[in-house]
Amino acid sequence: MEFKGIKGKLLQVGLEHVKKSAKIEGTVDFVEALGTDTIVHANIGNGQIIKVKLPGHIPLEVGSKVKIVIDLDNIHVFDKNTEKAII
């Protein structure tokens, strides 16, 4: 089964204080500075991009390496075909 997405609010870059978590390493592909938030587009391999919404201005450069932390206690995963929540 392929999954379509994970709710972005549950992703963080470089923060490892979450008790139950999974970590994905990626490379910054694009940074959207929106004023109150920053959206980081990270390439995690095989052409897959994860978008992470972070509060405030985050000074990340394209090409820099990031660790994305997923809060497994609050994760929501969606099926790619039906777009229904799996978890």
Side-chain angles (χ1 to χ4, degrees):
M1 173 187 312
E2 290 186 58
F3 67 90
K4 179 172 182 150
I6 300 169
K7 282 194 176 184
K9 289 183 179 181
L10 304 174
L11 305 176
Q12 299 290 326
V13 171
L15 301 178
E16 300 187 18
H17 66 278
V18 178
K19 290 180 184 177
K20 243 177 124 177
S21 66
K23 296 168 190 68
I24 301 171
E25 293 190 9
T27 304
V28 176
D29 192 54
F30 184 71
V31 178
E32 294 180 71
L34 304 176
T36 58
D37 296 308
T38 300
I39 298 177
V40 178
H41 299 238
N43 186 329
I44 60 168
N46 296 326
Q48 295 182 346
I49 302 290
I50 288 183
K51 296 178 188 177
V52 183
K53 183 178 178 182
L54 302 169
H57 173 70
I58 309 297
L60 290 171
E61 294 184 19
V62 171
S64 61
K65 302 288 183 192
V66 291
K67 288 185 181 178
I68 301 163
V69 179
I70 302 171
D71 181 349
L72 296 177
D73 284 330
N74 294 300
I75 193 169
H76 301 274
V77 179
F78 300 91
D79 183 277
K80 183 176 182 176
N81 297 319
T82 66
E83 298 187 5
K84 291 184 178 183
I86 299 169
I87 300 175

